[in-house]
Amino acid sequence: MLIVPEVRALLTRADGPRDVFDRIVPVALPMVTRFRGLTVRQTCLVHGPAGWAEFAPFEEYAAPEAAHWLAAALESAVLEFPEPLRATVPVNATIPAVAAEDVAGLAARFTGAQAVKVKIAEHGIASLTEDLARIAAVRAAMPEAALRCDANAAYSPAEARQAVVALAETGSLQYLEQPVATVEELADLRAWIGAEGLPVPLAADESIRKAADPLRVAALGAADVIIVKAQPLGGIRAAAEVVAQAGLPAVVSSALESSVGLAAGAALAAWLPVPEAAFDGHAPAAGLGTAALFASDVCAPPLLPVGGALPVGRTAPDEALLRAHAAGPERVRFWTERLEACWEVLRREA
Ligand SMILES: [Mg+2]
């Protein structure tokens, strides 16, 4: 993992997370619909010399993986965001794996979005009929938006080919995200799609953010687009470095953070150069509109897209909302111990 010099210096100099963060506030945020199996998003806000930051590894992540998220939180808490190239960042709508009849209501939360990402394959290829119905509903509700589908690595290689053919028949796709699990499977599928002449570009997500080497995707020609997330890649600057080294068009996405973490994602998206020869020469819509999936957030107002775009800049939580969503004592202990464990992992790497 790339650790920026300022954070590296901090890890050798400071005694621990409490030495850097003057506030550590775990919260539990209710969601409007189940997403990634969650109805409540547990996360932890931290405050340092540069402002508020978020430490948001999903609960099941062990310290070696969650440590990347701490590197990101440290960066945002001690360093200013990089100087943005754009004042706003276009974002895509996100439609979870809901029933087709629920699509219109969700789509209405994302008016003006130029792209829409639809979750598919919740139960692998067994979901295909429901997925196609959901996609039809999305195309009807958002006819102008470019369509992206995200399978979260749920298909076997054979199932992925079946799904690609079915998806291609629904119309043009901006890309299909992570249909299969491994980088090798992605590379094989992409070669097959090319040979068949199907209009389905592939994007890599899990193969970037959960991989020991995020650059293998580019080395094996496994994707047309990479999805990058500031937190799992160790921060804004580390994620930008992955994009530069991969040399592929990149779409910044959230890791389902609150509006504090989303601001760091927007800072990354606003700092990346517009990819040449992709997305019609425009900055691609980022997957940062996910505050719309929260019933309540820590910021007032939350960092929601206006006319399909997010403003770029720091956000700070509202104290009343922090109190309203404060996690219980058991959760506070969980996050405190987790911060310490992740700090140790980073300190050994620094
Ligand atoms: Mg994804």
Side-chain angles (χ1 to χ4, degrees):
M1 170 186 12
L2 186 142
I3 303 177
V4 296
E6 293 86 347
V7 170
R8 196 176 287 276
L10 201 64
L11 289 161
T12 51
R13 192 178 71 229
D15 283 337
R18 289 199 172 280
D19 209 15
V20 180
F21 304 132
D22 56 359
R23 304 270 309 271
I24 297 172
V25 189
V27 291
L29 302 174
M31 305 193 59
V32 289
T33 183
R34 201 167 66 89
F35 192 75
R36 205 188 167 279
L38 298 174
T39 52
V40 174
R41 176 69 163 112
Q42 307 277 351
T43 183
C44 184
L45 300 174
V46 292
H47 183 266
W52 284 93
E54 184 161 349
F55 175 57
F58 292 101
E59 283 180 271
E60 67 273 21
Y61 290 2
E65 183 168 7
H68 293 239
W69 303 59
L70 179 58
L74 288 166
E75 179 199 42
S76 284
V78 302
L79 291 181
E80 296 304 328
F81 288 165
E83 198 58 41
L85 301 176
R86 295 170 284 283
T88 62
V89 169
V91 297
N92 66 245
T94 302
I95 303 293
V98 294
E101 58 263 33
D102 295 334
V103 164
L106 283 166
R109 300 177 78 103
F110 298 99
T111 46
Q114 289 149 26
V116 53
K117 177 161 103 168
V118 185
K119 289 283 188 181
I120 60 168
E122 194 176 34
H123 304 289
I125 200 72
S127 309
L128 189 58
T129 306
E130 288 163 55
D131 292 337
L132 295 174
R134 185 180 316 111
I135 288 165
V138 170
R139 289 195 190 273
M142 307 183 74
E144 306 295 321
L147 191 84
R148 305 164 168 181
C149 292
D150 186 1
N152 286 105
Y155 296 132
S156 71
E159 290 167 349
R161 291 182 184 196
Q162 186 188 336
V164 163
V165 170
L167 291 170
E169 282 170 2
T170 73
S172 79
L173 223 56
Q174 194 170 51
Y175 55 73
L176 169 61
E177 186 173 323
Q178 199 77 39
V180 287
T182 71
V183 180
E184 289 75 11
E185 288 167 351
L186 269 182
D188 286 350
L189 181 64
R190 185 161 175 263
W192 178 81
I193 288 170
E196 296 288 314
L198 294 167
V200 182
L202 296 184
D205 176 11
E206 285 85 346
S207 286
I208 300 290
R209 77 182 139 91
K210 292 179 87 75
D213 178 7
L215 296 174
R216 279 195 78 229
V217 167
L220 296 190
D224 301 278
V225 172
I226 59 172
I227 310 298
V228 293
K229 306 190 178 187
Q231 290 224 18
L233 289 171
I236 296 166
R237 291 161 179 87
E241 185 60 28
V242 167
V243 174
Q245 289 188 24
L248 287 171
V251 170
V252 176
S253 233
S254 88
L256 212 56
E257 297 98 331
S258 78
S259 290
V260 171
L262 286 177
L268 168 61
W271 195 41
L272 293 178
V274 173
E276 288 167 36
F279 305 107
D280 302 321
H282 297 111
L288 293 169
T290 48
L293 300 174
F294 287 81
S296 184
D297 203 316
V298 293
C299 294
L303 190 56
L304 284 169
V306 177
L310 284 184
V312 178
R314 278 196 177 265
T315 52
D318 175 81
E319 291 294 338
L321 287 172
L322 284 185
R323 279 194 299 279
H325 299 298
E330 210 164 289
R331 286 273 134 205
V332 171
R333 197 172 331 119
F334 168 80
W335 283 103
T336 309
E337 288 171 9
R338 196 175 203 198
L339 277 168
E340 298 285 348
C342 291
W343 179 277
E344 275 314 303
V345 172
L346 286 183
R347 202 179 50 79
R348 284 195 296 271
E349 283 201 31

